[in-house]
Amino acid sequence: MRRAIAVHQRGSWSGPAADTVVLDQAHRHRRRFTFDTVSGGRVLLDLARPVRLRDGDALACDDGALILVRAADEPVMDLSAPDPAALLRIAWHLGNRHLPVQILPDGLRIRADHVIAEMVRGLGGTVTERSAPFDPEPGAYAGGHHHHHHDEEEEHEPPRPPRVLAGDHDRGA
């Protein structure tokens, strides 16, 4: 099995890719996991720390091959508003809920969520559901191209929210 051991950011590498991998947003934030390429090859992503893979990046394999990373289409909602103030208000509410958000030239993109769609409409925004790549902002503390994510384990599931213990609501937790 091939082993991908380094990441070359989009625009920083050249030449032909030996293969392509298409990953959704959740699987582009990993340190170690096994994936299948478009041609049916099997590859182990084996990095020292989690990296936020972007569409157009290349995975460098231990045999010298490069594998092109493509963002998979997934259910998303594109959000717009009648004016900049309304869009900022929507962005504030999304941030207050700690939702991953992709900034578009004329709006915002989030994962499809009917509850959030109703909130956005209630704030005067427009919601357009579609299937498209999702590439949210990494966040202020993500450290550039690296993703600040606690997924050091070899899991294929996104991290679970923290448990709330009985009585925590009384202490402001």
Side-chain angles (χ1 to χ4, degrees):
M1 175 184 319
R2 262 191 178 142
R3 215 169 52 103
I5 56 172
V7 177
H8 298 298
Q9 294 178 358
R10 63 181 167 202
S12 72
W13 62 279
S14 62
D19 210 336
T20 300
V21 62
V22 181
L23 300 170
D24 64 13
Q25 187 265 334
H27 285 99
R28 290 192 325 270
H29 295 83
R30 298 283 181 200
R31 179 188 80 80
R32 184 177 166 92
F33 84 108
T34 303
F35 60 86
D36 295 323
T37 64
V38 170
S39 70
R42 203 106 170 110
V43 178
L44 171 65
L45 180 68
D46 191 12
L47 303 173
R49 64 182 63 91
V51 172
R52 183 172 185 261
L53 299 172
R54 313 274 317 253
D55 187 76
D57 286 351
L59 300 173
C61 296
D62 55 0
D63 65 1
L66 294 175
I67 298 174
L68 174 63
V69 175
R70 286 291 177 211
D73 285 351
E74 48 192 304
V76 295
M77 298 184 316
D78 288 353
L79 314 176
S80 59
D83 57 66
L87 189 60
L88 283 172
R89 188 173 301 106
I90 290 167
W92 184 88
H93 282 278
L94 296 173
N96 195 42
R97 286 161 180 78
H98 303 282
L99 295 176
V101 176
Q102 179 178 349
I103 299 172
L104 303 174
D106 57 351
L108 305 169
R109 177 173 288 164
I110 63 171
R111 284 192 185 106
D113 181 320
H114 70 279
V115 172
I116 300 300
E118 288 306 310
M119 178 198 74
V120 169
R121 289 182 187 107
L123 292 168
T126 302
V127 177
T128 304
E129 294 185 34
R130 67 182 66 225
S131 181
F134 182 51
D135 194 20
E137 287 293 306
Y141 302 107
H145 198 64
H146 297 285
H147 180 68
H148 181 75
H149 209 269
H150 301 284
D151 63 352
E152 290 290 327
E153 306 86 35
E154 293 181 38
E155 294 185 20
H156 292 275
E157 299 295 321
R160 289 184 228 152
R163 286 184 22 207
V164 177
L165 302 175
D168 278 354
H169 63 281
D170 296 329
R171 292 188 293 261

